[in-house]
Amino acid sequence: MPTSRSRRSRLPVIAVSLALPLAACSASDGSGASGDAQRLRVVMAFPPAQAMSPYGDDAVTLSRLSVVEGLTGLDENGAAKPALATSWKQSGPTTWNFTLRDGAVFQDGTKVDAPSVVRSLTAAAKASPLPRALSGTTLRATATSGSTVRVVTGEADPLLPQRLANPSLTILSAGAYRNGKVNPAGHATGPFTLTRLKGAVSATLERNPDYWGTEARSPGVDVTFAADGTARANALRTKAVDVAEYVPIAQASLLGDSYVHEFPSARTNGLSLNTRRGVFADPAMRAAAREAVDSKSLVDGVYEGRADTAQGLFGPGIPWAAGLRTDPAGRTPAASRAKVSGTKEIVLATYTNRPELPEVATLVQQQLEKKGFTVRQVVRDYAQMEADALEGRYDAFIQARNTLLDTADPVSYLASDFTCDGSSNISQLCDEKVDAAVADAASRTGLDARHRAEMTAEAAVLGTDALVPLVHERFVQGYDDARVEGVALDPMERALITADTRVG
């Protein structure tokens, strides 16, 4: 199979690239003395796709490494908590006022003040592509004093405080904005400062001595990026790293319980079908693809039971969803096998950064072919295919999506992934009923009412078959709990390395 050849050929290359940057980071280059055991060594799954720009998925990496911060943060329940803003108050349906933290400074020594916040929020609102956290909303920030900022949204936005905690809405100093680009290195506010980025290979972080909160316990972090999950697990097994992000399921039993830390997530792995062009522009073909998928075989065959069968867009990581779920209505009947067999070849794509996904793609390909489809796979690093996926150049795309990542509330995921103007709409869906359902959910101020409206929107999305849920993931992070303390196990994926993380 093409997938197997691709994966076998990648492993030795990536394994070598993993060893080299770690060796380089251990040398004295301004990042700490050689052999300093207190520095953390971390391998991350997703190499930077946009040179650590905060306006794409690199923002999540910056957040997971505690480099960037926004006006707000999120507590374990997904509610907004103080960060660079200590308090906020709504003065009208579309108007919020934020009071900034006194004494907070950027990593370059300049002050965090209202003009700097306005600059950062304005830049994010004008970014292209628009950050997912701003899908379905607009905002305008103005300074009302040196320490207060007013944010006005186009429509009432009850989730604005949670939205401003998104890593793409990080607050950076003026020095970050040069020649039309945004560079967070040395210009953020987190407990660790990004001091060096070596392409998509490695990064060096140093403790930020001027951090407004608790000072980082580790003097720095040496980061390596390795898309291959086996390489990450091997690096942990051989003690080349202290923390390995996203340990492959297949490697978990080999590492042993002391290295494997499994916990529920809000992540749903789904098959996005291109509703705008190609075979799956026909809803009957999408329905046939949905009928072909067997979620349980994926859970058993790929995830070794460390995942949950697909229930909808929202799985066990969102515990309130199951009790409010309604069946999709108005689905188009599936096309016959004869009609499916007469269609042209479809391109099924996924990425290597999550090692289970190529295996999922292989099983899904077999399931689709059993239904009569002719399938060709494309499997590459995510950074190499993100733009093509967003432009709808694949017929089908398998991705793992955290439904709480954007605002800790599913409404932003629904807006970004399934509405006509959504900035992460891989399925290219544009459906009036879906847009109306998502807009209704976004307008609800009461928590219970919004949750019910979100499940109505889920049913509307599933009714189009634009996305076929495959499995609900459980996260597996790797570190030796006898040596490493303070690693964050965050279902929302905002945190991994924190100020409390250290090698014991």
Side-chain angles (χ1 to χ4, degrees):
M1 298 291 291
T3 302
S4 298
R5 287 197 298 270
S6 173
R7 293 179 72 202
R8 283 199 297 267
S9 64
R10 285 178 183 274
L11 179 55
V13 175
I14 295 175
V16 170
S17 68
L18 177 62
L20 290 177
L22 285 172
C25 288
S26 67
S28 180
D29 58 0
S31 61
S34 177
D36 185 352
Q38 292 184 326
R39 290 185 66 83
L40 282 164
R41 299 164 303 162
V42 179
V43 58
M44 305 291 284
F46 290 86
Q50 299 166 323
M52 288 296 194
S53 166
Y55 302 143
D57 285 336
D58 291 356
V60 178
T61 299
L62 291 167
S63 175
R64 289 172 69 75
L65 293 172
S66 290
V67 172
V68 299
E69 297 176 309
L71 285 180
T72 59
L74 296 175
D75 66 17
E76 60 184 10
N77 296 316
K81 67 178 183 180
L84 294 178
T86 56
S87 62
W88 48 91
K89 185 177 181 180
Q90 191 172 14
S91 59
T94 63
T95 304
W96 297 74
N97 297 284
F98 293 82
T99 300
L100 304 185
R101 184 175 297 278
D102 185 40
V105 297
F106 293 105
Q107 293 159 351
D108 58 14
T110 58
K111 183 180 180 181
V112 177
D113 56 12
S116 63
V117 171
V118 170
R119 180 193 307 110
S120 292
L121 294 182
T122 301
K126 293 180 178 179
S128 180
L130 190 70
R132 287 195 301 254
L134 293 180
S135 292
T137 192
T138 59
L139 61 80
R140 179 171 53 87
T142 57
T144 53
S145 73
S147 60
T148 56
V149 175
R150 177 172 297 148
V151 179
V152 179
T153 57
E155 297 180 357
D157 185 7
L159 292 176
L160 183 66
Q162 288 99 319
R163 195 181 303 275
L164 292 175
N166 187 277
S168 287
L169 303 184
T170 182
I171 307 302
L172 303 173
S173 69
Y177 304 92
R178 293 284 188 270
N179 303 318
K181 297 182 179 181
V182 184
N183 179 13
H187 302 297
T189 60
F192 289 107
T193 302
L194 174 62
T195 59
R196 183 185 180 191
L197 178 65
K198 188 177 179 182
V201 177
S202 65
T204 303
L205 314 181
E206 301 297 337
R207 176 193 287 144
N208 175 12
D210 298 319
Y211 183 53
W212 58 264
T214 303
E215 185 176 79
R217 299 175 71 183
S218 173
V221 186
D222 298 321
V223 182
T224 301
F225 301 101
D228 188 276
T230 302
R232 294 195 302 276
N234 285 339
L236 184 64
R237 183 181 296 108
T238 60
K239 302 188 187 304
V241 299
D242 304 305
V243 180
E245 184 185 42
Y246 300 131
V247 171
I249 298 297
Q251 297 292 321
S253 59
L254 300 177
L255 285 170
D257 292 343
S258 65
Y259 282 91
V260 174
H261 303 271
E262 178 184 341
F263 57 106
S265 79
R267 182 172 292 280
T268 296
N269 295 359
L271 176 67
S272 295
L273 302 176
N274 193 327
T275 63
R276 188 172 63 186
R277 62 167 72 97
V279 170
F280 292 123
D282 181 348
M285 292 297 175
R286 299 198 297 272
R290 167 177 49 81
E291 289 190 351
V293 169
D294 179 2
S295 176
K296 188 176 186 305
S297 70
L298 298 175
V299 170
D300 295 340
V302 177
Y303 290 90
E304 300 179 8
R306 295 178 186 265
D308 298 290
T309 55
Q311 304 300 311
L313 300 180
F314 311 121
I318 304 178
W320 51 262
L324 300 177
R325 178 163 287 120
T326 59
D327 292 333
R331 276 177 163 163
T332 299
S336 67
R337 180 181 174 84
K339 183 177 179 180
V340 170
S341 299
T343 60
K344 66 179 183 179
E345 177 185 74
I346 62 172
V347 176
L348 170 65
T350 194
Y351 43 95
T352 58
N353 307 73
R354 293 186 178 276
E356 293 80 25
L357 293 190
E359 297 181 51
V360 169
T362 296
L363 282 185
V364 169
Q365 176 178 355
Q366 294 171 0
Q367 293 171 358
L368 292 173
E369 289 175 341
K370 187 175 180 180
K371 194 74 172 178
F373 290 99
T374 301
V375 183
R376 175 169 62 89
Q377 278 193 53
V378 174
V379 180
R380 298 200 301 270
D381 180 272
Y382 181 79
Q384 299 172 347
M385 56 198 330
E386 179 184 47
D388 287 346
L390 291 173
E391 290 175 13
R393 294 182 180 176
Y394 305 116
D395 296 297
F397 189 79
I398 295 175
Q399 67 167 331
R401 183 75 162 91
N402 190 321
T403 59
L404 297 183
L405 186 63
D406 299 327
T407 62
D409 187 285
V411 72
S412 60
Y413 156 72
L414 292 165
S416 68
D417 286 36
F418 302 110
T419 63
C420 295
D421 296 328
S423 60
S424 190
N425 190 346
I426 290 177
S427 65
Q428 313 297 305
L429 181 64
C430 188
D431 183 283
E432 290 182 358
K433 293 181 179 178
V434 170
D435 276 25
V438 174
D440 178 58
S443 70
R444 303 290 180 137
T445 56
L447 189 63
D448 290 341
R450 187 164 67 250
H451 286 171
R452 292 181 183 278
E454 286 165 344
M455 297 311 293
T456 298
E458 181 202 59
V461 171
L462 294 176
T464 70
D465 287 322
L467 183 133
V468 180
L470 299 176
V471 302
H472 304 296
E473 276 193 8
R474 299 173 195 162
F475 290 149
V476 182
Q477 308 292 13
Y479 61 91
D480 184 354
D481 55 15
R483 297 179 54 250
V484 181
E485 301 176 4
V487 176
L489 303 177
D490 177 15
M492 290 180 283
E493 296 187 84
R494 300 287 185 89
L496 179 69
I497 304 302
T498 73
D500 292 328
T501 311
R502 72 180 184 96
V503 178

